[in-house]
Amino acid sequence: MLAVILIVAFGGAIISYLVGRKSSELRNILTQGIWIAIVGLISYAHFIMPVSSVYYPDFLGFDLALRIDSFSWLFAITIAGLGTLAIIFSLSYIKGRERENFYYLLLLLVSGGMMGIVLSGDLVSLYIFWEIMSWSTFLLISYSRGKALAAGLRYIIMSVIGSGAMLVAMLSLYANYGTLHFSELPSSLATASPTYLIFIFLLFLTGFGIKNAILPFHTWLPPAHSEAPAPFSALLSGVLIKMGTYGLIVVFYFFAGAKLFLSLSNGIWSFHYILCALGAVTIVIPTFIAILQNDAKRLLAWSTVGQAGYIILGLTFGTGLAFVGGLFHFLNHALFKALLFLAIGAVEYRTSTRDLNSLGGLIKRMPVVFVATVIGIGGLIGVPLTNGFFSKWLMYKTLILEGNPFLAFAAFIGTWGAILYSYKLIHNVFLGQLPEKYKQVKKAPLSMQFPLVILSTAILVFGIFPGIAINQINNISTALGFSPLDVSLWGVVSDTGMVNTLNILVAFLIVIAIVWYIFRSGAESTRVSQADSYTAGAPVPQGKYNYTVDFYNPLERMMRPYLRDRIDDLYSGIAEFVKQLSNKTRKVFTGYVGTYVAYILTLLAVIIMIQLGWNIW
Amino acid sequence: MVMKIVGIIFSPVIALIAGILMLGMTRKVMARIQWRYGPPLLQPVIDIIKLFYQKSPSHGVTFGAGVIISIAGAIVVFLFLPIGGLAPLSEGGGCLLIMYLMLVAPLGVALSGGEGANPYVSIGISRKLILGFAYEVTLILTFLAVMTQYGTISIVKVVEMQQTGRWSLFSWPLVIPGIAYLLILPAILGMRPFDVVSAPQEISSGPNAEYGGKYLGLMTLESGLSEFIGIALFVNLFLGGPNLWGAISSLQNSGLVVFLGVIVFLVKVFLVYFINILVQAVLPRVRVEQAVKYLWTWPAFIALVGLIIVWAG
């Protein structure tokens, strides 16, 4: 069953590549069919899980296996859903661009790789799929060449470092315990010394943390997200970086177990608390940087770094509420960030720019995209009745009641900063004046609107009925040893307070209805053009009154000096140093045979001298 | 149950009346300070009724929807925020929910104003968000200090606990965040020296520049409600809500307790507001950068010290 899913995913990728060389229409139908089938298969797996199957028995003394349980199912269904939507979105986005076939092959390989990661039952399979995912990601990021190539290179260098760290951890585990199977590692690690555990944790933290873009491993993410093709940016931000989150949960909570992980400390600093602090820093700094961005996708990319901080904070804080909140936020972030990237992709597709300083006023031209973006931003900020509210509420509550107001403060600042950058995004793209050159912009094509509609519906459904998702996540956290929550369809009840979306929904509906009625009964209003009331009908030079450039100018002037990415500077410095060192080393190779002969003779002479002088050999 | 229904109906009504009266009070008190007679106290009511009979320009669906969402968001806050003994839905969500519900109104204005495409509106909203971000730092810190001190996220519990003990503003260590809140209150209310958002002489009332007729009427109501929210939060968190040194809660008749509680609550609100009008009357407007610099230094510092003392104690 599980092997079938992966065979469909990978086999489908290759078959559609071959088919695509003959007919692109057939390939488009095939790719969509494959991923809709995978969504179906994963949904079916919900009813038969937990299930595991061995696909390669006795590899180095343990079985290579696939497995699915409620935890990996949550990730699998998110990957399948977003993957399908990204493929549908690609239909018109990638049409007519070069190397279409190659693009689809890689997109399917990445999605398949991610699916493989979450279905893996041992570290070896996980590592294999991890590499498939990483390398196809590299090729996809650099799909547009030019700047994208540099972004991709930056990504793959960090990714390789991360894989190296993972490999070391795996070898160490294998050398010590002789197994890398998920079900056998917990019992082995239960007796491990704390020092060894921290060693293993740090290695995995490097490996998975780079993917998850935790500070200070975040520098690859902003260029990669902004340069990749839009549907892939959505996947990248929505699920791909969460593979890091997945890995961390597996290592911390499945291998070591909640009890061991949370008790790991040297008396003053506990390990999980340091991770929380890291999460808090990851929330705050990128939020401020995001406010300064003028490239729509770069802004969203920095926001992704910040939101990933919430997930890390929630997952490592170590209470049931925080864990549920963190995991729910993973799902929510996948939905709203994918939506926002796709929406910006649709805008970019029609206007061929994503520069926030030159767009504006597209609300009348792309109404569906506008409404979807508003809903996505609602989720990002966490406006009540959208999904982001509930996950953040759970985290805030536990952070405050467990006596960690400073972590809560970081989380709040992240939200209030999000208001600034997300309003900038929506204002500079959709509101304000429409520049002359975009007067003729057409609506987004249907294949782009469809994923947006689906995602915004999902955001509202999870916002109004959080119980649907929380129930599932609650099972996971209970299985990991956290105390269960009392979940209803509308929210969570606990002894320290509850939240109920039903109240909020009904209150809003009734009040809006009353206000709307009063509004209707007032005197009529006439529709006037945008220049009409502002200049009282006098002719004005068009395009001169567009206040989108430097939207937060006063704030930016204050903050910019403090917000240089020092970590990025450090990495670039190291890269530059290595480059110069290599350049110097290269000078040794002159290309003349004579020089090489001279090197050999010198070396021989030195050896003979050493031998004569000290008589070593 | 009866109290709940009474609360659901009366809380927003009380808030609307109080909000309008606050607008009228500003004009009257300012006039008296400037040795003028000033308009009658109910002038804003007359204005709003008049505005509803005036024709108005519109710029599209979002232009109207944003206004409706904005005022609905402001009204919904009062179903969750206690006014005296009235707190119809406050058991769900607590302070955190209120903080988030407070966002809906500004976002509605921002969406609606954005479609107006007036540069003054854009500048005004940009300033509003910057100013909001600046004072929220302090506001969050004071909220966290109160919630940590009382060990609850429910605002009703916070009010109850002040009933038995002293008001937070007069108790150690909450007096420190209380002072910080007082320092940022003019910014929350958008009054001088922090009226950079509306700034009539600079940017033609900022976010309100494009509105006329019923739009302007609703936005006037919204601004009254927002001011009331800002002070009501302060009264609930730091001035003991409806409590009057145990004088009212000792009465036997529960209906009377609620009624007098609301009266006491409103008196406190208007007193705090009066002080802010006095501040507004004597101070000139600052620039946005100056406002941010001020809000991120002294009030934030005091609030942070307060939170550290609460957390350590």
Side-chain angles (χ1 to χ4, degrees):
Chain A
M1 164 73 201
L2 299 174
V4 170
I5 295 176
L6 291 180
I7 290 168
V8 169
F10 285 109
I14 293 160
I15 289 172
S16 48
Y17 180 71
L18 296 176
V19 168
R21 304 180 81 157
K22 294 276 179 293
S23 145
S24 57
E25 271 107 49
L26 198 60
R27 176 205 56 215
N28 291 349
I29 294 168
L30 197 64
T31 47
Q32 287 172 51
I34 289 164
W35 275 84
I36 289 168
I38 289 178
V39 172
L41 284 172
I42 299 279
S43 317
Y44 170 68
H46 188 357
F47 301 104
I48 56 163
M49 70 188 187
V51 59
S52 67
S53 62
V54 176
Y55 70 93
Y56 191 103
D58 204 26
F59 173 81
L60 296 177
F62 60 93
D63 300 335
L64 294 188
L66 298 173
R67 65 95 177 73
I68 194 162
D69 50 26
S70 53
F71 167 64
S72 55
W73 186 82
L74 180 73
F75 280 82
I77 194 74
T78 319
I79 293 166
L82 282 192
T84 313
L85 293 178
I87 290 167
I88 295 174
F89 191 89
S90 304
L91 269 183
S92 35
Y93 184 85
I94 216 71
K95 199 173 183 180
R97 289 175 69 165
E98 57 190 350
R99 292 173 291 137
E100 263 186 74
N101 257 327
F102 184 57
Y103 170 83
Y104 275 106
L105 173 71
L106 292 175
L107 196 60
L108 293 189
L109 278 183
V110 169
S111 315
M114 289 192 284
M115 194 59 87
I117 290 171
V118 298
L119 294 184
S120 294
D122 59 281
L123 279 173
V124 173
S125 327
L126 190 142
Y127 189 78
I128 294 168
F129 291 120
W130 186 268
E131 289 301 295
I132 293 177
M133 174 189 84
S134 295
W135 285 94
S136 4
T137 304
F138 164 61
L139 294 174
L140 263 180
I141 291 173
S142 31
Y143 173 76
S144 316
R145 308 273 171 90
K147 255 160 85 186
L149 208 57
L153 211 57
R154 196 183 262 249
Y155 160 79
I156 199 65
I157 289 172
M158 298 199 71
S159 193
V160 164
I161 294 172
S163 306
M166 267 170 71
L167 205 57
V168 173
M170 280 164 56
L171 288 175
S172 165
L173 283 175
Y174 184 72
N176 277 326
Y177 305 113
T179 180
L180 289 172
H181 200 279
F182 281 4
S183 59
E184 292 162 11
L185 274 173
S187 52
S188 318
L189 276 176
T191 55
S193 73
T195 329
Y196 182 68
L197 268 182
I198 287 186
F199 167 70
I200 291 291
F201 280 179
L202 285 181
L203 284 175
F204 276 119
L205 192 65
T206 316
F208 294 126
I210 285 178
K211 220 31 130 228
N212 202 42
I214 308 175
L215 252 59
F217 302 133
H218 64 284
T219 54
W220 67 270
L221 191 146
H225 278 52
S226 44
E227 294 308 329
F232 183 60
S233 300
L235 266 191
L236 199 57
S237 182
V239 282
L240 200 146
I241 69 160
K242 313 297 174 29
M243 290 301 108
T245 320
Y246 174 85
L248 289 178
I249 298 176
V250 166
V251 172
F252 292 155
Y253 287 105
F254 282 82
F255 291 177
K259 217 170 178 182
L260 200 56
F261 167 60
L262 296 175
S263 63
L264 210 57
S265 79
N266 67 355
I268 307 162
W269 300 100
S270 63
F271 183 69
H272 80 102
Y273 200 78
I274 294 175
L275 286 181
C276 286
L278 211 58
V281 174
T282 310
I283 293 171
V284 175
I285 296 175
T287 302
F288 279 90
I289 298 179
I291 297 172
L292 304 180
Q293 300 306 314
N294 284 323
D295 176 333
K297 277 170 84 178
R298 226 181 160 82
L299 185 150
L300 288 176
W302 277 109
S303 150
T304 298
V305 182
Q307 299 296 314
Y310 278 98
I311 300 171
I312 292 296
L313 176 60
L315 292 178
T316 55
F317 187 66
T319 61
L321 276 179
F323 186 85
V324 171
L327 210 49
F328 191 26
H329 201 67
F330 144 75
L331 179 65
N332 296 337
H333 180 254
L335 293 174
F336 62 66
K337 199 47 74 63
L339 184 148
L340 291 175
F341 268 114
L342 292 183
I344 293 302
V347 170
E348 192 191 4
Y349 176 72
R350 282 301 190 209
T351 61
S352 55
T353 180
R354 46 172 205 262
D355 178 18
L356 289 176
N357 285 345
S358 65
L359 287 162
L362 288 174
I363 175 171
K364 298 253 166 46
R365 298 287 174 275
M366 303 176 132
V368 176
V369 183
F370 168 73
V371 172
T373 313
V374 169
I375 293 173
I377 275 169
L380 173 61
I381 297 171
V383 177
L385 300 183
T386 57
N387 57 6
F389 167 69
F390 208 88
S391 48
K392 284 185 182 174
W393 188 88
L394 289 174
M395 283 190 257
Y396 294 145
K397 192 180 132 174
T398 184
L399 288 175
I400 293 166
L401 293 183
E402 298 289 321
N404 279 290
F406 296 103
L407 290 180
F409 179 60
F412 273 117
I413 287 296
T415 298
W416 262 262
I419 298 172
L420 260 73
Y421 65 69
S422 52
Y423 184 71
K424 179 180 180 176
L425 181 78
I426 205 158
H427 176 275
N428 289 13
V429 175
F430 295 103
L431 303 174
Q433 296 211 344
L434 184 65
E436 194 64 33
K437 57 181 166 181
Y438 300 128
K439 285 260 155 75
Q440 305 307 323
V441 166
K442 281 186 286 205
K443 267 188 200 166
L446 216 58
S447 65
M448 291 191 171
Q449 290 185 6
F450 176 73
L452 293 177
V453 171
I454 296 278
L455 284 171
S456 24
T457 318
I459 288 173
L460 291 180
V461 166
F462 284 131
I464 295 170
F465 310 103
I468 300 173
I470 299 260
N471 232 334
Q472 178 77 24
I473 295 168
N474 193 24
N475 291 340
I476 301 170
S477 91
T478 317
L480 289 177
F482 290 114
S483 54
L485 309 176
D486 185 6
V487 185
S488 71
L489 183 60
W490 307 96
V492 170
V493 187
S494 70
D495 46 347
T496 50
M498 50 91 115
V499 65
N500 190 339
T501 49
L502 181 64
N503 278 345
I504 310 173
L505 177 71
V506 173
F508 259 104
L509 286 182
I510 292 176
V511 173
I512 285 183
I514 293 172
V515 174
W516 184 71
Y517 180 75
I518 295 171
F519 180 79
R520 272 282 303 276
S521 59
E524 267 180 46
S525 54
T526 29
R527 192 70 174 268
V528 297
S529 94
Q530 295 186 321
D532 243 22
S533 58
Y534 171 52
T535 59
V540 284
Q542 283 293 327
K544 279 214 162 176
Y545 294 90
N546 194 2
Y547 188 80
T548 57
V549 181
D550 288 343
F551 194 62
Y552 295 123
N553 192 356
L555 191 67
E556 285 180 23
R557 273 206 309 258
M558 287 180 66
M559 292 190 335
R560 203 173 276 284
Y562 302 101
L563 284 178
R564 279 197 62 189
D565 193 346
R566 309 267 170 210
I567 297 165
D568 194 29
D569 291 353
L570 177 71
Y571 292 160
S572 307
I574 293 172
E576 190 58 30
F577 175 73
V578 172
K579 201 168 145 192
Q580 287 189 355
L581 197 71
S582 320
N583 265 338
K584 294 220 171 82
T585 324
R586 206 182 52 191
K587 295 221 175 80
V588 174
F589 302 98
T590 53
Y592 294 109
V593 181
T595 329
Y596 298 140
V597 173
Y599 289 156
I600 295 167
L601 287 179
T602 320
L603 184 67
L604 274 177
V606 170
I607 292 173
I608 292 168
M609 256 175 70
I610 293 170
Q611 172 65 6
L612 288 179
W614 290 277
N615 199 10
I616 299 169
W617 292 285
Chain B
M1 195 62 207
V2 178
M3 277 313 294
K4 208 167 188 171
I5 294 167
V6 168
I8 289 174
I9 296 169
F10 278 97
S11 281
V13 174
I14 293 171
L16 278 170
I17 293 171
I20 298 176
L21 283 181
M22 284 163 86
L23 296 178
M25 183 175 151
T26 320
R27 296 173 70 175
K28 193 80 185 170
V29 175
M30 287 294 287
R32 282 305 167 88
I33 291 171
Q34 294 163 353
W35 287 61
R36 291 184 284 118
Y37 188 73
L41 194 62
L42 289 179
Q43 187 62 40
V45 183
I46 302 166
D47 284 346
I48 288 170
I49 293 171
K50 177 200 71 180
L51 284 169
F52 263 85
Y53 286 98
Q54 273 183 347
K55 280 193 176 171
S56 50
S58 154
H59 290 296
V61 180
T62 314
F63 193 70
V67 171
I68 293 175
I69 290 173
S70 167
I71 187 149
I75 291 174
V76 166
V77 171
F78 287 100
L79 299 177
F80 295 87
L81 180 73
I83 302 180
L86 295 176
L89 300 177
S90 58
E91 75 274 16
C95 293
L96 300 175
L97 180 62
I98 293 170
M99 291 177 82
Y100 269 90
L101 284 175
M102 280 166 67
L103 296 177
V104 177
L107 283 179
V109 179
L111 286 181
S112 155
E115 203 186 11
N118 188 323
Y120 288 146
V121 175
S122 294
I123 296 172
I125 293 168
S126 148
R127 287 182 175 190
K128 188 179 185 122
L129 294 177
I130 292 175
L131 191 69
F133 191 43
Y135 70 67
E136 285 291 350
V137 172
T138 311
L139 191 63
I140 292 164
L141 285 170
T142 51
F143 261 86
L144 287 171
V146 173
M147 288 190 274
T148 310
Q149 173 73 15
Y150 291 117
T152 176
I153 60 163
S154 159
I155 197 161
V156 178
K157 290 250 175 62
V158 170
V159 174
E160 271 171 17
M161 285 187 199
Q162 294 178 64
Q163 200 167 352
T164 48
R166 263 188 294 181
W167 296 356
S168 313
L169 189 60
F170 303 116
S171 69
W172 181 259
L174 284 182
V175 57
I176 305 173
I179 290 170
Y181 199 123
L182 274 177
L183 288 177
I184 60 164
L185 202 49
I188 297 175
L189 302 177
M191 293 169 88
R192 274 198 297 277
F194 302 112
D195 65 339
V196 285
V197 178
S198 55
Q201 301 87 342
E202 271 179 69
I203 52 170
S204 320
S205 307
N208 281 350
E210 277 290 312
Y211 297 125
K214 56 187 177 183
Y215 296 91
L216 188 59
L218 285 178
M219 288 321 295
T220 314
L221 277 180
E222 197 273 329
S223 65
L225 284 175
S226 302
E227 295 192 337
F228 189 57
I229 293 172
I231 300 177
L233 269 177
F234 179 72
V235 171
N236 273 321
L237 293 182
F238 290 102
L239 291 182
N243 300 327
L244 204 65
W245 299 286
I248 294 170
S249 50
S250 59
L251 293 174
Q252 296 304 313
N253 186 335
S254 70
L256 198 63
V257 169
V258 171
F259 178 71
L260 288 177
V262 172
I263 300 289
V264 170
F265 187 86
L266 290 178
V267 169
K268 285 178 185 173
V269 168
F270 277 93
L271 269 178
V272 176
Y273 190 63
F274 182 71
I275 296 168
N276 276 288
I277 299 177
L278 298 185
V279 174
Q280 148 145 320
V282 294
L283 287 179
R285 181 187 311 138
V286 293
R287 282 188 288 123
V288 191
E289 298 100 303
Q290 291 169 328
V292 174
K293 205 168 266 175
Y294 164 77
L295 291 166
W296 275 356
T297 45
W298 283 110
F301 176 71
I302 293 171
L304 186 65
V305 169
L307 181 58
I308 290 172
I309 292 174
V310 167
W311 178 69

